[in-house]
Amino acid sequence: DAMVIQNPRYQVTQFGKPVTLSCSQTLNHNVMYWYQQKSSQAPKLLFHYYDKDFNNEADTPDNFQSRRPNTSFCFLDIRSPGLGDAAMYLCATSRGDLDSGEQYFGPGTRLTVT
Amino acid sequence: GEDVEQSLFLSVREGDSSVINCTYTDSSSTYLYWYKQEPGAGLQLLTYIFSNMDMKQDQRLTVLLNKKDKHLSLRIADTQTGDSAIYFCAEKEKTGANNLFFGTGTRLTVIP
C-alpha cells in the first residue's frame, strides 16, 4: 500500500543535542510537509518542499531545518532542542498539481526532550 | 491569518448521529477538509469538499458547507465506539501553495 512512513515513532533526545527525524513516502507526491503538534493543539506547519523548492513558514524558529535529498525522503533537523520542542512531529505529502491538494499524513514521531 | 474554530468536545451515544461543527474566516477558501486523529497517531483524511458545493456524502459521513456563513459540519451517522477520536477541519487558501489551516480539533467521545 502506498503510504507515508515516519521513523522513529518515538525519539528521546537531550536538551541541546541535535536530532533528526525521518519521513519517507511511496506515493510519489511532489510536495512534502513537516508539522509540529503539541498536546491538545492543531498541527502547526513548519515548512514544506514543493519539489526541490523549500518554503519556510515565517514563524518557524531557525533551530528547525529540513532536507529533501530526493522525492521520497524528507528530514527534519532540530539543531539544539529545547524543552519547548517536545511535541509530535507529523510529515505529510500531497500532489502539487491537484487543486484539491489533500494531504496524507504519516503516523508521526513523538519527540521527548530531557 | 486565517481562523478556524471548532468546539472542543462532543459526546454521543453509540448508534446516534454526531455533528461536528467548524467555522472559518477566509472567504477565499477553495477546499475544506475533515481529518480524524486517533490517540498517538497521525491524521487520517476522511473527506473534503470544494467550496462551490454545499453537500457531500460518503457512506456514513455527510459534509455540509454554508459558504455564506462560513460554516462547515461533519455528520457521522450511526456513530460507533471506533469513531471516538479528535476531528480536525482544515481549509485551503485560494492563493499560495498547498498550505492548510487547521481548526483546534473536536474530541468526540462515543458512549457505549
Side-chain angles (χ1 to χ4, degrees):
Chain A
D1 283 345
M3 56 200 310
V4 182
I5 302 157
Q6 290 188 245
N7 286 307
R9 295 292 312 277
Y10 300 91
Q11 176 75 57
V12 180
T13 191
Q14 291 177 332
F15 183 94
K17 185 175 180 182
V19 65
T20 295
L21 309 182
S22 301
C23 177
S24 64
Q25 51 121 346
T26 59
L27 296 160
N28 203 31
H29 285 173
N30 64 324
V31 191
M32 293 186 77
Y33 310 78
W34 279 104
Y35 288 85
Q36 179 192 65
Q37 186 182 26
K38 296 190 175 180
S39 184
S40 302
Q41 294 185 20
K44 178 179 179 297
L45 183 65
L46 295 172
F47 26 58
H48 73 276
Y49 274 94
Y50 194 111
D51 295 321
K52 295 182 180 179
D53 294 332
F54 179 69
N55 298 272
N56 199 30
E57 292 301 297
D59 56 356
T60 298
D62 292 341
N63 197 25
F64 292 87
Q65 305 284 320
S66 186
R67 295 170 284 135
R68 189 179 186 187
N70 54 52
T71 301
S72 302
F73 285 86
C74 196
F75 300 99
L76 170 62
D77 299 309
I78 309 177
R79 293 193 297 189
S80 182
L83 297 178
D85 297 328
M88 175 80 93
Y89 289 87
L90 298 166
C91 173
T93 72
S94 72
R95 279 182 54 181
D97 60 326
L98 286 183
D99 283 344
S100 53
E102 63 269 28
Q103 295 183 16
Y104 295 89
F105 284 78
T109 294
R110 182 165 296 284
L111 178 69
T112 301
V113 181
T114 60
Chain B
E2 289 76 1
D3 270 333
V4 184
E5 300 283 341
Q6 299 177 241
S7 52
L8 291 179
F9 302 100
L10 176 65
S11 292
V12 298
R13 293 209 172 271
E14 191 174 16
D16 287 351
S17 292
S18 308
V19 180
I20 303 170
N21 295 301
C22 173
T23 57
Y24 59 97
T25 56
D26 186 356
S27 58
S28 65
S29 296
T30 54
Y31 286 85
L32 296 120
Y33 311 80
W34 283 104
Y35 283 87
K36 175 184 180 183
Q37 186 175 35
E38 298 187 43
L43 275 68
Q44 175 194 354
L45 177 65
L46 292 177
T47 187
Y48 63 90
I49 189 167
F50 185 46
S51 58
N52 71 350
M53 297 170 63
D54 50 21
M55 187 180 92
K56 181 178 180 181
Q57 187 153 3
D58 184 0
Q59 299 181 329
R60 291 192 297 125
L61 305 180
T62 303
V63 178
L64 295 177
L65 175 60
N66 181 328
K67 195 172 181 182
K68 174 176 168 288
D69 294 340
K70 301 190 189 69
H71 182 266
L72 180 75
S73 68
L74 174 69
R75 179 177 180 270
I76 306 172
D78 187 25
T79 313
Q80 302 298 305
T81 54
D83 295 324
S84 292
I86 300 176
Y87 290 80
F88 290 94
C89 68
E91 60 159 354
K92 178 172 182 265
E93 58 182 355
K94 182 177 181 180
T95 58
N98 300 74
N99 293 12
L100 298 187
F101 294 92
F102 284 87
T104 48
T106 298
R107 183 180 294 276
L108 174 65
T109 301
V110 181
I111 304 163

